[in-house]
Amino acid sequence: MKILVTGGAGFIGSHVVRRLVMTYPEYHIYNLDALTYAGNLENLTDIDQAPNYTFLKADITDASHIQTLFETYRFDKVVHLAAESHVDRSIKDPLAFVRTNVIGTMNLLNACTSIWKEDTENNLFYHISTDEVYGSLGADGLFTEETSYSPNSPYAASKASSDHFVRAYGETYNFPFIISNCSNNYGPNHFPEKLIPLFINNILEMKPLPVYGDGNYTRDWLYVLDHAIAIDTILHKGKVGETYNIGGFNEWKNIDLVHLLCDMMDDTLSRKRGTSASLITYVKDRPGHDKRYAIDASKINKELGWKPSVTFEEGLKATIDWYLNNKTWLEQVTSGDYQDYYTKMYQS
Ligand code: NAD
Ligand code: TYD
C-alpha cells in the first residue's frame, strides 16, 4: 500500500506522517511538501530514516510535476493536508489561498483520476478540511455534517471550494473520496502565528499578547495527536463518499483560554501568578471574525468509535512542555522571515 500524505512537513501533517510510518510498517508513506514557511522537515527527524518513509519535495500548484509523480509512484491512497492555513494571511493575500487550496487540490484530483481509472476499490482520496467552511454560529447550536457551507474568510472560502470540488469529482467521476472537517488544533510543532503557539512564544519573551476585539470569540480545541488518530481511524474505517466532523467537545472563549494559558505558563516558569496575564493587550479586531465554532462530533464517535483521548488541561500542559523543551525549534522558525511577518501583522 503506497500512501501519499500531502503537507506532511506541516503541523498536523507531521503528526499524521509519524503515526502512519510507525503504526503501519507494511505501508510505504510518501510525504509530499513544498516546504513553505509552514513546512519544516525538523518536525520529522525521528522517523525520516525509516525504511517505509520517503520525502518528495513538490508544489501541488505545479500540475505537470504532480502528474509525473503520480505516474512514477502510482499511489494507492492520498491523505491531503497541504494548504495555506492561516486566516490572517488569507486576508492579506487571498489569491495565494486559491492557488494552493483550490488549484492545488484540483491538480491532485486530476492526477488521481488519471491513474486510478481501472481500480477504484483500493483507492481513496481523503481530503482534510476545517469547520471554518460552515461559517459562524450564534450562542447556541453545533456544526453537523448537514450544516450548510457559509465561509466568511478567504481561507474558509478556499477550503469550502476545494471540499466542493472533491465531492463533485465523487458525483461526476465515481471518484472515491472522504472529507473530514475538524475544529482548531493545538499541540507540538504548531507554527507560532496561530493563537496558542504565538502566545506561548510571546509569554516566553515577555512580549504583548494581542487579543483581537473583545476576546469573546469561541473556538473548539482539539489536541493534534487526537486529530491524527481520527485521521488514521477514518482512513481505515471511514465510508467512501462520507463526511465526518471531528472536534474536541471543548469550547473556549479566547480570553478565558488566554488566562488559563497565562496561569499555566506562570506556574511552569515559576513566575508570580499574573505576570503573563499582564501582557494581555486588546488590539484591533480581525475583519470578518467568526464569532463561534463548535463541532458535533457524534457521527465519528458513534460510527467509528473515535473520541478525544486527552483533556484540554493535559493537552495544553504537554504543549507548553514541548515548547519549553524545544526552544531551538522555536528560535529556528521565529528567525528571518517570521520577524517581517510579525511586524506587518501586529505593528500596523
Ligand atoms: P500548516 O500550515 O502547518 O502546514 C501546511 C503544510 O502544507 C506545510 O508543510 C506546507 O509546506 C505545505 N504546503 C503549503 N502549500 C503547499 C503547496 N503549494 N504544495 C505542497 N505543499 C504545500 O497547516 P496545518 O495546520 O497542519 O493544516 C493542515 C491541513 O489541515 C490544512 O488543509 C488545514 O486546512 C487543515 N485543518 C487545520 C486545522 C488547524 O487547526 N490547524 C484545523 C482543521 C483543518
Ligand atoms: P487562530 O489560531 O488564528 O485560528 P482560527 O482563526 O483558524 O480560529 O485564531 C484562534 C482565535 O484567536 C481566533 O478567534 C482569532 C484569535 N486570535 C487573537 O485574538 N490574537 C491573535 O494574535 C491570533 C493569531 C488569533
Side-chain angles (χ1 to χ4, degrees):
M1 172 86 74
K2 295 181 181 182
I3 300 187
L4 175 70
V5 179
T6 71
F11 168 47
I12 303 169
S14 59
H15 291 280
V16 171
V17 165
R18 177 176 300 99
R19 182 171 174 90
L20 296 179
V21 165
M22 291 181 71
T23 317
Y24 304 102
E26 68 277 26
Y27 298 169
H28 198 100
I29 308 303
Y30 295 85
N31 170 14
L32 184 158
D33 201 296
L35 301 182
T36 67
Y37 78 93
N40 189 347
L41 289 177
E42 290 291 317
N43 295 346
L44 291 166
T45 45
D46 55 330
I47 56 104
D48 65 5
Q49 299 304 312
N52 65 335
Y53 171 76
T54 302
F55 174 67
L56 303 169
K57 185 168 189 309
D59 187 330
I60 58 170
T61 65
D62 182 346
S64 74
H65 190 195
I66 294 301
Q67 184 64 32
T68 306
L69 289 173
F70 272 73
E71 280 164 15
T72 307
Y73 293 100
R74 306 199 77 80
F75 310 112
D76 298 300
K77 299 191 178 191
V78 176
V79 183
H80 176 37
L81 295 110
E84 288 292 340
S85 68
H86 189 37
V87 172
D88 294 328
R89 285 183 190 256
S90 83
I91 293 167
K92 296 252 187 254
D93 184 9
L95 256 187
F97 285 67
V98 175
R99 278 187 218 105
T100 291
N101 299 0
V102 186
I103 297 172
T105 301
M106 291 291 296
N107 290 337
L108 292 167
L109 292 173
N110 288 337
C112 290
T113 48
S114 77
I115 66 156
W116 289 351
K117 268 182 217 130
E118 309 87 32
D119 172 23
T120 48
E121 283 270 292
N122 296 316
N123 300 135
L124 178 68
F125 188 89
Y126 176 10
H127 181 63
I128 308 300
S129 192
T130 166
D131 60 357
E132 305 194 24
V133 298
Y134 297 123
S136 186
L137 289 164
D140 306 316
L142 300 170
F143 296 134
T144 73
E145 287 79 1
E146 276 71 48
T147 304
S148 316
Y149 277 29
S150 185
N152 290 319
S153 71
Y155 164 65
S158 68
K159 291 297 290 187
S161 171
S162 64
D163 292 11
H164 288 323
F165 274 110
V166 172
R167 195 170 284 110
Y169 270 54
E171 288 294 321
T172 309
Y173 307 113
N174 194 28
F175 183 74
F177 78 90
I178 296 179
I179 299 173
S180 60
N181 297 81
C182 188
S183 62
N184 286 59
N185 285 213
Y186 69 97
N189 304 101
H190 206 182
F191 192 81
E193 64 184 357
K194 309 275 171 70
L195 181 74
I196 290 179
L198 176 77
F199 279 30
I200 291 176
N201 188 40
N202 285 12
I203 289 171
L204 282 173
E205 295 186 1
M206 288 297 287
K207 279 169 48 179
L209 306 177
V211 173
Y212 296 162
D214 60 7
N216 286 318
Y217 293 88
T218 300
R219 297 291 183 264
D220 169 7
W221 294 93
L222 178 68
Y223 192 52
V224 66
L225 287 164
D226 277 328
H227 191 190
I229 295 170
I231 289 173
D232 180 357
T233 306
I234 291 171
L235 179 65
H236 288 92
K237 302 206 277 181
K239 252 177 71 189
V240 169
E242 293 286 319
T243 289
Y244 297 91
N245 279 357
I246 308 170
F249 305 96
N250 180 39
E251 282 184 54
W252 283 81
K253 278 197 171 143
N254 291 342
I255 192 63
D256 296 338
L257 188 164
V258 169
H259 275 289
L260 173 68
L261 182 66
C262 286
D263 287 350
M264 288 175 74
M265 289 286 289
D266 283 346
D267 293 350
T268 311
L269 295 169
S270 305
R271 288 179 182 165
K272 196 166 152 273
R273 276 273 179 118
T275 310
S276 301
S278 71
L279 300 169
I280 292 173
T281 310
Y282 289 93
V283 299
K284 200 167 89 199
D285 210 351
R286 171 188 281 174
H289 200 166
D290 284 332
K291 189 77 191 158
R292 176 172 164 256
Y293 303 147
I295 280 270
D296 177 354
S298 53
K299 177 175 171 181
I300 184 175
N301 178 243
K302 283 199 196 105
E303 294 184 10
L304 308 184
W306 174 90
K307 65 174 184 343
S309 69
V310 297
T311 64
F312 192 45
E313 282 73 9
E314 287 166 344
L316 208 48
K317 176 83 183 92
T319 305
I320 292 169
D321 289 346
W322 186 86
Y323 280 92
L324 292 181
N325 292 325
N326 289 274
K327 285 202 178 134
T328 321
W329 184 95
L330 200 52
E331 276 155 25
Q332 189 212 339
V333 302
T334 53
S335 61
D337 289 349
Y338 181 86
Q339 302 299 337
D340 298 338
Y341 161 80
Y342 199 84
T343 310
K344 237 187 259 154
M345 291 286 180
Y346 291 100
Q347 252 101 69
S348 56

